[in-house]
Amino acid sequence: MSHTVDLHTPEDKDIHIERKFVPKPLDIDREVSWAKINKDVLRSLERPRPMFWVIFVAALALFSFGVYCEIYQYQNGMGAADLNNPQVWGLYIATFIFWIGMGHSGTLLSALLHIIHADWRKPIYRYSEAMTTFSLLTAALFVLIHLGRIWEFYYVVAYPNERWVWPNFSSPLVWDATAIGTYLTSSLLFLYTGMVPDLAICRDNARGVRKKLYTFLSMGWQGTDRQWANFRVTYMTLACLLMPLAVSVHSIVSTDFAVSQNPGWHITSFPPYFVLGALYSGCAVIITLFIVLRYVFRFEEYMTMPILNKLIKMTFAIAMVWNYLNLIEYATVWYGDNEVAKAQFIYKITGTYAPVFWGMVLCSTVLPFALLIKFVRTHMPTLLVVSLLLNLGMWLERVQIITPTFAHSQYPWTWTANWFPSWVQWGIVAGSFGWFTMLFMLYCKIFPAISMYEVKEMVHDQSKMLKARGQ
Amino acid sequence: MMKKSHTLALFNDFEEAGQAIRDLKAVSLPGFRMEDVVIKSPIEHPELSEMLGDRPVYVQWFTLGGVLVGPLTGLILVASAQANFLLQIRGGRPVVPVPPDMVLTYEFFILSGVLMTVLGCFIGWKLPGRRSPLYNAKVSEDKIGLLIKADPLVIPKINEILARHKPIEIMGEDRR
């Protein structure tokens, strides 16, 4: 489509400027039939590429090693993890924040993009929400693991004191457990509610045990007009409730640090900094999983390059905001009058743990600029490596918040420059990655990772729009 | 009162189903009401649903109930637990500190809102329930179904109207 604009110059010389409207690439092929969408997604539940089993077995091995380490720690005490005073949190809480952060963006982005009617979310939101659920489950494990005395976990739960437990309701740790519990429950319900129409499709096409499972979970869904109308209102309402909840959860996680007296943590900008960090790492994981699922389950037709491109742009924008808040955090310390915090900051960038800090800067601040290069955006193996490095950067960010602060706090007796996590800690952290990957891959094998009915809606709306434009 | 009977017509697209609904609305048959017409489709189609008339959704009232009850429950739970502590060694600070308690109150506000919304949704869906009276798996794939409940005597006439719009199949209760 094009049109010509005539401009008249003072010399009465006509200039013809032809404006060409180049049609944007569609997010998804509008010719794809609804029956094919069902067929392709249902096929993914039965015959994934062999890479699926490679990933699953590797994840299972990592998880088994993690379980071994946890049993070892349980039998030998927290000394086996080299956790001591002042290094009481170690990698456990750093990884806990990492998983919470990762869980942040799946549901939050899905809800946000649903509210603003961003159609391109439709093929990718289901697995992002599943990612949230499994990340939260993984994060919750670290609350138990780092306690040492696992049987006393109920002190972190907002539990009435009828049994004389007397939890401290003014403690961020209690807020944290409540917020995570709320977020997990809500995310799970959001995921499940959105999946019911697809479970009915699975029910109608499955046999044997699977049919029984899907029949039970779809609860008799028939796709009636009344059911769809209720569904639309429910889904939008849940999205609206989940948005502020997701922000509150990571803000509360940040108060674990921000309301303490440790130098460098007592900063007003910590909550937004944590929320953005969570979104950033979550987006990076969504890109990683996009590439993996696209290949493993042959979703090339649905997880398309235009959608990936939008995802990358959003990740880049979030990375830039995160960088800004990171800078604000350091500037607040640098220009503030807290000499201990300043000394701690200098230690962080020049001391024993400086490689962690600079590793974070390299992976999370510098590397996102690689996303501006077209080759990086379009070459899947390169993009996979970049997305994994972004994740590594965000994990290092959490480590550099905790370890150097404990190692160089208010009192000289806390200065423990040579502290390094034991193999038990590394094993449990690695095991958590195995646990998450295993659960996620199992989920994608049992439940549709792409929302079939929403992709159908997308194709339907796209065709209607193009027909209206006469294309 | 005569026992009602059902018929299900499957159409290739929303337009054909829409025309069939328009025709059904235009006729006046004893023992048939538009309220007894149900659309079954693989995706939501609000324009088509609107043709059937106003079918209110009550989910938002459940949500409202949830967001009102939730924070009250949360605050009462936390404050009563704090007020109930055997020893109140507070160093001059209030027994029930309001600002920190707002955090848990807020979480209860959201949690209760979410739970009640989902409950309202399931009540609105009338689920869990049995798939009946007529169901065709093609409805979850790519076909649009019109399920009509009416007096058995009127069903042939309804089928006649439906047949004008080229349905791919019309199912009666005898062909379940």
Side-chain angles (χ1 to χ4, degrees), chain B residues 6-64:
Chain B
H6 294 84
T7 185
L8 174 73
L10 291 182
F11 296 92
N12 268 322
D13 56 44
F14 284 109
E15 277 170 27
E16 287 167 356
Q19 280 163 6
I21 292 173
R22 210 166 290 134
D23 280 6
L24 285 171
K25 274 178 101 171
V27 294
S28 166
L29 296 169
F32 164 71
R33 301 176 313 156
M34 276 313 283
E35 289 80 39
D36 293 331
V37 179
V38 173
I39 302 166
K40 293 187 177 186
S41 56
I43 64 168
E44 191 197 5
H45 200 285
E47 292 89 349
L48 203 61
S49 306
E50 269 172 29
M51 291 174 73
L52 298 178
D54 193 25
R55 292 189 172 178
V57 172
Y58 299 107
V59 174
Q60 62 273 30
W61 295 106
F62 283 85
T63 312
L64 182 65

Coordinates of all heavy atoms in Angstrom, one line a residue, chain B residues 6-64:
Chain B
H6 N -33.2 -31.6 23.6 CA -32.1 -30.8 23.2 C -31.7 -31.1 21.7 O -31.9 -32.2 21.2 CB -30.8 -31.0 24.0 CG -31.0 -30.5 25.4 ND1 -31.6 -31.3 26.4 CD2 -30.6 -29.4 26.0 CE1 -31.6 -30.7 27.5 NE2 -31.0 -29.5 27.3
T7 N -31.1 -30.1 21.1 CA -30.5 -30.3 19.7 C -29.2 -29.5 19.6 O -29.2 -28.4 20.2 CB -31.5 -29.9 18.6 OG1 -30.9 -30.3 17.4 CG2 -31.9 -28.5 18.6
L8 N -28.3 -30.0 19.0 CA -27.0 -29.3 18.8 C -26.6 -29.2 17.4 O -26.5 -30.2 16.7 CB -25.9 -30.0 19.6 CG -24.4 -29.5 19.4 CD1 -24.3 -28.1 20.2 CD2 -23.4 -30.5 19.9
A9 N -26.4 -28.0 16.9 CA -26.0 -27.8 15.5 C -24.6 -27.3 15.5 O -24.2 -26.4 16.3 CB -26.9 -26.8 14.8
L10 N -23.7 -27.8 14.6 CA -22.4 -27.4 14.5 C -22.2 -26.6 13.2 O -22.6 -27.0 12.1 CB -21.4 -28.6 14.4 CG -21.3 -29.4 15.7 CD1 -20.3 -30.6 15.5 CD2 -20.8 -28.6 16.9
F11 N -21.5 -25.4 13.3 CA -21.3 -24.6 12.2 C -19.8 -24.4 12.0 O -19.0 -24.5 12.9 CB -21.9 -23.2 12.4 CG -23.4 -23.2 12.5 CD1 -24.0 -23.4 13.7 CD2 -24.2 -23.2 11.4 CE1 -25.4 -23.4 13.8 CE2 -25.6 -23.2 11.5 CZ -26.2 -23.4 12.7
N12 N -19.5 -24.0 10.7 CA -18.1 -23.8 10.4 C -17.5 -22.5 10.9 O -16.4 -22.4 11.2 CB -17.9 -23.9 8.9 CG -17.6 -25.2 8.4 OD1 -16.8 -26.0 9.0 ND2 -18.1 -25.6 7.2
D13 N -18.4 -21.5 11.0 CA -17.8 -20.2 11.5 C -18.9 -19.4 12.2 O -20.1 -19.8 12.3 CB -17.2 -19.4 10.3 CG -18.2 -19.1 9.2 OD1 -19.4 -18.8 9.6 OD2 -17.9 -19.2 8.1
F14 N -18.4 -18.3 12.8 CA -19.3 -17.5 13.7 C -20.4 -16.9 12.9 O -21.5 -16.6 13.4 CB -18.5 -16.5 14.4 CG -17.7 -17.0 15.5 CD1 -16.3 -17.1 15.5 CD2 -18.3 -17.4 16.7 CE1 -15.6 -17.6 16.5 CE2 -17.6 -17.9 17.8 CZ -16.2 -18.0 17.7
E15 N -20.2 -16.5 11.6 CA -21.2 -15.8 10.8 C -22.4 -16.7 10.6 O -23.5 -16.2 10.8 CB -20.6 -15.4 9.5 CG -19.8 -14.1 9.6 CD -19.0 -13.8 8.4 OE1 -19.4 -14.2 7.3 OE2 -18.0 -13.1 8.5
E16 N -22.2 -18.0 10.2 CA -23.3 -18.9 10.0 C -24.1 -19.1 11.3 O -25.3 -19.0 11.3 CB -22.8 -20.2 9.5 CG -22.3 -20.1 8.1 CD -21.5 -21.4 7.7 OE1 -21.3 -22.2 8.5 OE2 -21.1 -21.5 6.5
A17 N -23.3 -19.2 12.4 CA -24.0 -19.4 13.7 C -24.8 -18.2 14.0 O -25.9 -18.3 14.5 CB -23.0 -19.7 14.8
G18 N -24.2 -17.0 13.7 CA -24.9 -15.7 14.0 C -26.2 -15.6 13.2 O -27.2 -15.1 13.8
Q19 N -26.2 -16.0 12.0 CA -27.4 -15.9 11.1 C -28.4 -16.9 11.7 O -29.6 -16.5 11.7 CB -27.0 -16.3 9.7 CG -26.4 -15.1 9.0 CD -25.7 -15.5 7.7 OE1 -25.7 -16.6 7.3 NE2 -25.0 -14.5 7.1
A20 N -28.0 -18.0 12.1 CA -29.0 -19.0 12.7 C -29.6 -18.4 13.9 O -30.8 -18.5 14.1 CB -28.3 -20.3 13.0
I21 N -28.8 -17.7 14.8 CA -29.4 -17.1 16.0 C -30.4 -16.0 15.6 O -31.5 -15.9 16.2 CB -28.3 -16.5 16.9 CG1 -27.4 -17.6 17.4 CG2 -28.9 -15.7 18.0 CD1 -26.2 -17.2 18.2
R22 N -30.0 -15.2 14.6 CA -30.9 -14.1 14.1 C -32.3 -14.7 13.7 O -33.3 -14.2 14.1 CB -30.2 -13.4 13.0 CG -30.6 -12.0 12.9 CD -29.7 -11.2 12.0 NE -28.4 -11.0 12.5 CZ -27.3 -11.2 11.9 NH1 -27.3 -11.6 10.6 NH2 -26.1 -11.0 12.4
D23 N -32.2 -15.8 13.0 CA -33.5 -16.5 12.5 C -34.3 -17.0 13.7 O -35.5 -16.9 13.7 CB -33.2 -17.6 11.5 CG -32.9 -17.0 10.1 OD1 -32.8 -15.8 10.0 OD2 -32.7 -17.8 9.2
L24 N -33.6 -17.6 14.6 CA -34.3 -18.2 15.8 C -35.0 -17.1 16.6 O -36.1 -17.3 17.1 CB -33.3 -18.9 16.7 CG -32.8 -20.3 16.2 CD1 -31.7 -20.8 17.0 CD2 -34.0 -21.3 16.2
K25 N -34.3 -15.9 16.6 CA -34.9 -14.8 17.4 C -36.1 -14.3 16.7 O -37.1 -13.8 17.3 CB -33.9 -13.6 17.5 CG -32.9 -13.8 18.6 CD -31.9 -12.6 18.6 CE -32.3 -11.6 19.7 NZ -31.2 -10.6 19.8
A26 N -36.1 -14.4 15.3 CA -37.2 -13.8 14.5 C -38.5 -14.6 14.6 O -39.6 -14.1 14.5 CB -36.8 -13.7 13.1
V27 N -38.3 -15.9 14.9 CA -39.5 -16.8 14.9 C -40.1 -16.9 16.3 O -39.4 -16.6 17.3 CB -39.3 -18.2 14.4 CG1 -38.9 -18.3 13.0 CG2 -38.2 -18.9 15.3
S28 N -41.4 -17.2 16.4 CA -42.0 -17.3 17.7 C -42.6 -18.8 17.8 O -43.6 -19.0 17.1 CB -43.1 -16.3 17.9 OG -43.9 -16.6 19.0
L29 N -41.9 -19.6 18.5 CA -42.4 -21.0 18.6 C -42.8 -21.3 20.0 O -42.1 -20.9 21.0 CB -41.2 -21.9 18.2 CG -40.7 -21.8 16.8 CD1 -39.5 -22.6 16.6 CD2 -41.8 -22.4 15.8
P30 N -43.9 -22.0 20.2 CA -44.3 -22.3 21.6 C -43.3 -23.3 22.2 O -42.9 -24.3 21.5 CB -45.7 -22.9 21.4 CG -45.8 -23.3 20.0 CD -44.9 -22.4 19.2
G31 N -43.0 -23.1 23.4 CA -42.1 -24.1 24.0 C -40.6 -23.9 23.7 O -39.8 -24.7 23.9
F32 N -40.3 -22.7 23.1 CA -38.9 -22.3 22.8 C -38.6 -20.9 23.3 O -39.4 -20.0 23.0 CB -38.6 -22.5 21.3 CG -37.4 -21.8 20.9 CD1 -36.1 -22.3 21.2 CD2 -37.4 -20.6 20.2 CE1 -35.0 -21.7 20.9 CE2 -36.2 -20.0 19.8 CZ -35.0 -20.5 20.1
R33 N -37.5 -20.7 24.0 CA -37.1 -19.4 24.5 C -35.7 -19.1 24.1 O -34.9 -20.1 24.1 CB -37.3 -19.2 26.0 CG -38.6 -19.5 26.5 CD -38.6 -19.4 28.1 NE -37.5 -20.2 28.6 CZ -37.0 -20.0 29.8 NH1 -37.4 -19.0 30.6 NH2 -36.0 -20.8 30.2
M34 N -35.4 -17.9 23.8 CA -34.0 -17.6 23.4 C -33.0 -17.8 24.6 O -31.8 -18.0 24.5 CB -33.8 -16.1 23.0 CG -34.1 -15.8 21.5 SD -33.4 -17.0 20.4 CE -31.7 -16.4 20.3
E35 N -33.6 -17.7 25.8 CA -32.7 -18.0 27.0 C -32.2 -19.4 27.0 O -31.2 -19.7 27.7 CB -33.5 -17.8 28.3 CG -33.9 -16.3 28.6 CD -35.1 -15.9 27.8 OE1 -36.1 -16.7 27.7 OE2 -35.1 -14.7 27.4
D36 N -32.9 -20.3 26.3 CA -32.4 -21.7 26.3 C -31.4 -22.0 25.1 O -31.1 -23.2 24.9 CB -33.6 -22.6 26.1 CG -34.5 -22.5 27.4 OD1 -33.9 -22.3 28.5 OD2 -35.7 -22.7 27.3
V37 N -31.0 -20.9 24.5 CA -29.9 -21.1 23.4 C -28.6 -20.9 24.0 O -28.3 -19.9 24.7 CB -30.1 -20.2 22.2 CG1 -29.1 -20.4 21.1 CG2 -31.5 -20.3 21.6
V38 N -27.7 -21.9 23.8 CA -26.3 -21.8 24.3 C -25.3 -21.9 23.2 O -25.5 -22.8 22.3 CB -26.1 -22.9 25.3 CG1 -24.6 -22.9 25.8 CG2 -27.0 -22.8 26.5
I39 N -24.3 -21.0 23.2 CA -23.3 -21.1 22.1 C -22.1 -21.8 22.7 O -21.7 -21.6 23.9 CB -22.8 -19.7 21.7 CG1 -23.9 -18.8 21.2 CG2 -21.7 -19.8 20.7 CD1 -23.6 -17.3 21.1
K40 N -21.6 -22.8 22.0 CA -20.4 -23.5 22.4 C -19.3 -23.2 21.4 O -19.5 -23.5 20.2 CB -20.6 -25.0 22.5 CG -21.6 -25.3 23.6 CD -21.7 -26.8 23.8 CE -22.6 -27.2 24.9 NZ -22.7 -28.6 25.2
S41 N -18.2 -22.6 21.8 CA -17.2 -22.2 20.8 C -15.8 -22.4 21.3 O -15.6 -22.5 22.6 CB -17.4 -20.8 20.4 OG -17.4 -20.0 21.6
P42 N -14.8 -22.6 20.4 CA -13.4 -22.8 20.9 C -12.8 -21.5 21.4 O -11.8 -21.5 22.1 CB -12.7 -23.2 19.6 CG -13.6 -23.1 18.5 CD -14.9 -22.6 19.0
I43 N -13.3 -20.3 21.0 CA -12.8 -19.1 21.6 C -14.1 -18.2 21.9 O -15.2 -18.5 21.5 CB -11.9 -18.3 20.6 CG1 -12.7 -17.9 19.3 CG2 -10.7 -19.0 20.2 CD1 -12.0 -16.8 18.5
E44 N -13.8 -17.2 22.7 CA -14.9 -16.3 23.1 C -15.3 -15.4 21.9 O -14.4 -15.0 21.2 CB -14.4 -15.4 24.3 CG -15.6 -14.7 24.9 CD -15.1 -13.5 25.8 OE1 -13.9 -13.2 25.8 OE2 -16.0 -12.9 26.4
H45 N -16.6 -15.2 21.7 CA -17.0 -14.3 20.7 C -18.1 -13.4 21.3 O -19.3 -13.7 21.2 CB -17.6 -15.1 19.5 CG -17.6 -14.3 18.2 ND1 -18.5 -13.3 18.0 CD2 -16.8 -14.3 17.2 CE1 -18.3 -12.8 16.8 NE2 -17.3 -13.4 16.3
P46 N -17.7 -12.2 21.9 CA -18.7 -11.4 22.6 C -19.8 -10.9 21.7 O -20.9 -10.8 22.2 CB -17.8 -10.2 23.1 CG -16.4 -10.7 23.0 CD -16.3 -11.7 22.0
E47 N -19.5 -10.6 20.4 CA -20.6 -10.1 19.6 C -21.7 -11.1 19.4 O -22.9 -10.8 19.4 CB -20.0 -9.7 18.2 CG -19.1 -8.5 18.2 CD -17.6 -8.9 18.4 OE1 -17.4 -10.1 18.8 OE2 -16.7 -8.1 18.3
L48 N -21.3 -12.3 19.2 CA -22.3 -13.4 19.1 C -23.1 -13.6 20.4 O -24.3 -13.8 20.3 CB -21.6 -14.7 18.7 CG -22.4 -15.8 18.0 CD1 -22.9 -15.2 16.6 CD2 -21.6 -17.0 17.7
S49 N -22.4 -13.6 21.5 CA -23.0 -13.8 22.8 C -24.0 -12.7 23.0 O -25.1 -12.9 23.6 CB -22.0 -13.8 23.9 OG -21.0 -14.7 23.7
E50 N -23.7 -11.4 22.6 CA -24.6 -10.3 22.8 C -25.9 -10.5 22.1 O -27.0 -10.1 22.6 CB -24.0 -9.0 22.3 CG -23.2 -8.3 23.3 CD -22.4 -7.1 22.7 OE1 -22.9 -6.6 21.7 OE2 -21.3 -6.8 23.3
M51 N -25.9 -11.3 21.0 CA -27.2 -11.5 20.2 C -28.1 -12.3 21.1 O -29.3 -12.3 20.8 CB -26.9 -12.3 18.9 CG -26.1 -11.4 17.9 SD -25.6 -12.4 16.5 CE -27.2 -12.6 15.7
L52 N -27.6 -13.1 22.0 CA -28.5 -13.9 22.9 C -29.2 -13.1 24.0 O -30.0 -13.6 24.7 CB -27.7 -15.0 23.5 CG -27.1 -16.0 22.5 CD1 -26.3 -17.1 23.3 CD2 -28.1 -16.7 21.7
G53 N -28.8 -11.8 24.1 CA -29.4 -11.0 25.1 C -28.5 -10.9 26.3 O -27.4 -11.5 26.4
D54 N -29.0 -10.2 27.3 CA -28.2 -9.9 28.5 C -28.0 -11.2 29.4 O -29.0 -11.7 29.9 CB -28.9 -8.8 29.3 CG -27.9 -8.2 30.3 OD1 -26.7 -8.3 30.2 OD2 -28.4 -7.7 31.4
R55 N -26.8 -11.6 29.6 CA -26.6 -12.7 30.5 C -25.5 -12.3 31.5 O -24.3 -12.3 31.3 CB -26.0 -13.9 29.7 CG -27.1 -14.5 28.8 CD -26.8 -15.7 28.1 NE -28.0 -16.3 27.4 CZ -28.0 -17.4 26.7 NH1 -26.9 -18.1 26.6 NH2 -29.1 -17.8 26.2
P56 N -26.0 -11.8 32.6 CA -25.1 -11.1 33.6 C -24.1 -12.1 34.2 O -24.3 -13.3 34.3 CB -26.1 -10.6 34.6 CG -27.3 -11.4 34.5 CD -27.4 -11.8 33.1
V57 N -23.0 -11.4 34.5 CA -21.9 -12.1 35.2 C -21.8 -11.6 36.6 O -21.8 -10.4 36.8 CB -20.5 -11.9 34.4 CG1 -19.4 -12.4 35.1 CG2 -20.6 -12.5 33.0
Y58 N -21.6 -12.5 37.6 CA -21.6 -12.0 38.9 C -20.3 -12.1 39.6 O -20.2 -11.9 40.8 CB -22.7 -12.8 39.8 CG -24.1 -12.6 39.2 CD1 -24.7 -13.6 38.5 CD2 -24.7 -11.4 39.4 CE1 -26.0 -13.4 38.0 CE2 -26.0 -11.2 38.9 CZ -26.6 -12.2 38.2 OH -27.9 -12.0 37.7
V59 N -19.2 -12.5 38.8 CA -17.9 -12.7 39.4 C -17.4 -11.5 40.2 O -16.9 -11.6 41.4 CB -16.9 -13.0 38.3 CG1 -15.5 -13.1 38.9 CG2 -17.2 -14.3 37.7
Q60 N -17.7 -10.3 39.7 CA -17.2 -9.1 40.3 C -17.7 -8.8 41.7 O -17.0 -8.3 42.6 CB -17.4 -7.8 39.5 CG -18.8 -7.5 39.2 CD -19.3 -8.2 37.9 OE1 -18.9 -9.3 37.6 NE2 -20.2 -7.6 37.2
W61 N -18.9 -9.4 42.0 CA -19.5 -9.2 43.4 C -18.8 -10.1 44.4 O -18.6 -9.8 45.5 CB -21.0 -9.6 43.3 CG -21.7 -8.6 42.5 CD1 -22.3 -8.7 41.3 CD2 -22.0 -7.2 42.8 NE1 -22.8 -7.6 40.8 CE2 -22.7 -6.6 41.7 CE3 -21.7 -6.4 43.9 CZ2 -23.0 -5.3 41.7 CZ3 -22.1 -5.0 43.9 CH2 -22.7 -4.5 42.8
F62 N -18.3 -11.3 43.9 CA -17.5 -12.2 44.7 C -16.2 -11.5 45.0 O -15.7 -11.5 46.2 CB -17.3 -13.5 44.0 CG -18.5 -14.4 44.0 CD1 -19.4 -14.3 43.0 CD2 -18.6 -15.4 45.0 CE1 -20.5 -15.2 43.0 CE2 -19.7 -16.2 45.0 CZ -20.7 -16.1 44.0
T63 N -15.6 -10.8 44.0 CA -14.4 -10.1 44.2 C -14.5 -9.0 45.3 O -13.7 -8.9 46.2 CB -13.9 -9.5 42.9 OG1 -13.9 -10.5 41.9 CG2 -12.4 -9.0 43.0
L64 N -15.6 -8.3 45.1 CA -15.9 -7.2 46.1 C -16.0 -7.7 47.5 O -15.4 -7.2 48.4 CB -17.2 -6.4 45.7 CG -17.5 -5.2 46.6 CD1 -16.4 -4.2 46.4 CD2 -18.9 -4.7 46.2

